[in-house]
Amino acid sequence: MSRSPLSRRVVLKIAGAGAFGLAAPALAQAAPLRIGMIVTYTGAYADYGRQMDNGMAVWLTRHNGLVGGRKVEFVKRDTAGAAPDLAIRFAREFATRDAVDVVMGLDFSPNAIAIAPVLTQAKLPCLVLNAAASAIPGRSPYIARLSFTVGQVSAPMGVWAAKQGIKSAVTLVSDYSAGQDAEKAFTASFATGGGKVVSALRVPLANPDFSPFVQRIRDEKPDAAFFFFPSGDQPNAFLKTARERGLADAGIKLIATGEAMDDSYMQAAGDAGLGLITTHHYSTAHESPLNRQFVADYRATNGAYPPNYMAMTAWDGLNLLDAALAATGGKTEGDALIEAIKGMRIESPRGPIEISAATRDIVQTVYVRRTERIDGKLACVEFDKFERVADPLA
């Protein structure tokens, strides 16, 4: 993974007027809402920032460029991946020099965890749009998460696998906090259903060679292999190695979290991805009027470039922030905004979601999906679901 110290500093101003029934003169006098983004914009995971920016642009286009009746200024900072020290520096700048109203983004868990003390000291509200380690909201009372937790999407897979008669499994995860959460949640729920994890394997977060791990799985001869890697090229590399080494021919079923079939990257998996069962909170193939509209709006701007769950969560981030500002009467102070967000329920392109009043974490539906080819392209087709799932590791 690239960890360039380079930070890109961009301020994007989006103007609009006449929404929410506000008179134009009053709106003109309102200070812009300043949103500080700490995201990856360069390097191997640059797609993360692009997806978040695109998702927010879709929401703003539908709402005349306003959030809470105010114009928006985005102050963007690029971590180029997992870079906790850089994230801390950016958060301090947001709290002092840049004077942002709210922090958003946070695609990597180490970055979100690192900035928590800064947020607490500055009483600066933060909406996490991707980082999925279980511990994050508990690190600061000013953090609320809209994305998901790895445990939240891993535990249902353990339940589902056990119900299918799978008795033994090997787990293979990236060796960092989110991967460890996936391993823990799957193992616990699988055991509850009568399954047993016979080996727990961990791979380096950066540039792993999957060959020895795939061979180890084949030698263990489990009924299934459950895997978790961050969205990107790694899941496709693993799937192709598994196909080349004949895991399916050996009768070993592959199951995973939805990062393995991220809408941004899944087409590159080709036939190696067909039939893969995953559990996750969003797919562009999700059938709902709101999601169809979101996907259509996104593609109207971005052409063949597909939205993924990060774009969708960024859309939700502005939608939730807009609702919270309505509840506070426009107040952006950390305590007021977070209090408004607690217990809030909104309709998302993924389905109904809520922010737990107790944990400030996301509660949502987790879908079981099969990777199929539709109109010549891979798609995650939902065929089962677990409703109102909270983080099992909280």
Side-chain angles (χ1 to χ4, degrees):
M1 177 183 301
S2 173
R3 296 194 181 190
S4 167
L6 177 65
S7 66
R8 186 173 63 184
R9 305 176 180 224
V10 182
V11 178
L12 172 64
K13 298 185 179 181
I14 303 177
F20 301 94
L22 295 179
L27 182 62
Q29 295 171 7
L33 182 70
R34 291 176 62 82
I35 298 176
M37 297 288 293
I38 298 179
V39 191
T40 299
Y41 286 109
T42 58
Y45 296 94
D47 183 68
Y48 290 12
R50 179 180 178 184
Q51 287 285 4
M52 289 186 191
D53 283 357
N54 290 351
M56 289 183 169
V58 168
W59 194 93
L60 287 164
T61 298
R62 279 272 166 184
H63 295 83
N64 299 316
L66 304 175
V67 177
R70 294 163 64 180
K71 295 184 293 183
V72 177
E73 290 182 355
F74 288 110
V75 185
K76 300 180 182 181
R77 298 290 185 266
D78 176 20
T79 60
D85 291 344
L86 202 54
I88 291 171
R89 192 182 96 202
F90 294 156
R92 286 172 176 161
E93 291 174 355
F94 283 167
T96 55
R97 185 191 65 196
D98 298 318
V100 305
D101 297 299
V102 60
V103 178
M104 296 178 72
L106 284 309
D107 42 6
F108 280 87
S109 293
N111 298 347
I113 291 169
I115 70 168
V118 179
L119 300 173
T120 301
Q121 184 178 19
K123 297 185 177 182
L124 186 59
C126 175
L127 302 183
V128 173
L129 303 183
N130 185 63
S134 180
I136 291 170
R139 296 301 181 97
S140 172
Y142 296 94
I143 292 177
R145 173 159 42 200
L146 284 87
S147 50
F148 69 108
T149 78
V150 171
Q152 185 180 55
V153 297
S154 300
M157 180 56 85
V159 174
W160 183 86
K163 287 183 177 179
Q164 308 313 302
I166 295 172
K167 298 298 184 183
S168 62
V170 169
T171 59
L172 180 66
V173 304
S174 293
D175 193 9
Y176 73 119
S177 56
Q180 293 156 21
D181 282 354
E183 176 187 284
K184 182 178 180 180
F186 174 83
T187 300
S189 65
F190 189 48
T192 299
K196 181 181 179 180
V197 170
V198 295
S199 288
L201 309 179
R202 296 179 180 178
V203 303
L205 182 57
N207 304 316
D209 174 8
F210 289 114
S211 298
F213 297 99
V214 171
Q215 187 60 50
R216 172 75 180 275
I217 293 169
R218 186 170 176 123
D219 292 344
E220 291 275 2
K221 299 180 181 178
D223 294 333
F226 167 80
F227 67 95
F228 165 85
F229 312 119
S231 291
D233 296 326
Q234 288 188 15
N236 292 336
F238 171 75
L239 287 169
K240 291 178 179 179
T241 304
R243 190 171 191 235
E244 292 166 359
R245 296 297 180 101
L247 287 192
D249 295 337
I252 300 170
K253 188 177 186 65
L254 293 180
I255 53 179
T257 61
E259 287 85 353
M261 284 288 115
D262 182 329
D263 287 289
S264 285
Y265 298 92
M266 63 190 298
Q267 302 308 321
D271 290 346
L274 283 173
L276 181 68
I277 304 297
T278 57
T279 42
H280 221 228
H281 60 298
Y282 179 69
S283 164
T284 55
H286 176 67
E287 284 294 334
S288 76
L290 183 57
N291 187 52
R292 285 193 292 271
Q293 184 65 67
F294 166 70
V295 173
D297 287 349
Y298 188 102
R299 287 177 172 160
T301 303
N302 299 288
Y305 184 71
N308 73 353
Y309 62 91
M310 295 183 205
M312 175 277 302
T313 308
W315 188 99
D316 279 343
L318 291 188
N319 201 33
L320 185 86
L321 182 57
D322 184 69
L325 288 170
T328 66
K331 293 179 181 177
T332 58
E333 289 80 4
D335 290 315
L337 201 60
I338 290 295
E339 194 60 35
I341 288 170
K342 290 179 181 177
M344 186 167 284
R345 299 183 181 189
I346 62 172
E347 185 66 21
S348 161
R350 69 187 108 168
I353 63 172
E354 62 184 276
I355 305 300
S356 167
T359 65
R360 289 165 281 106
D361 215 341
I362 187 78
V363 179
Q364 61 190 327
T365 301
V366 175
Y367 303 93
V368 187
R369 309 99 52 84
R370 180 182 294 103
T371 307
E372 301 177 6
R373 203 178 290 280
I374 298 176
D375 296 329
K377 292 184 176 295
L378 298 183
C380 291
V381 178
E382 299 162 3
F383 65 90
D384 202 353
K385 63 183 178 180
F386 295 78
E387 296 181 328
R388 299 198 74 247
V389 181
D391 178 24
L393 303 178

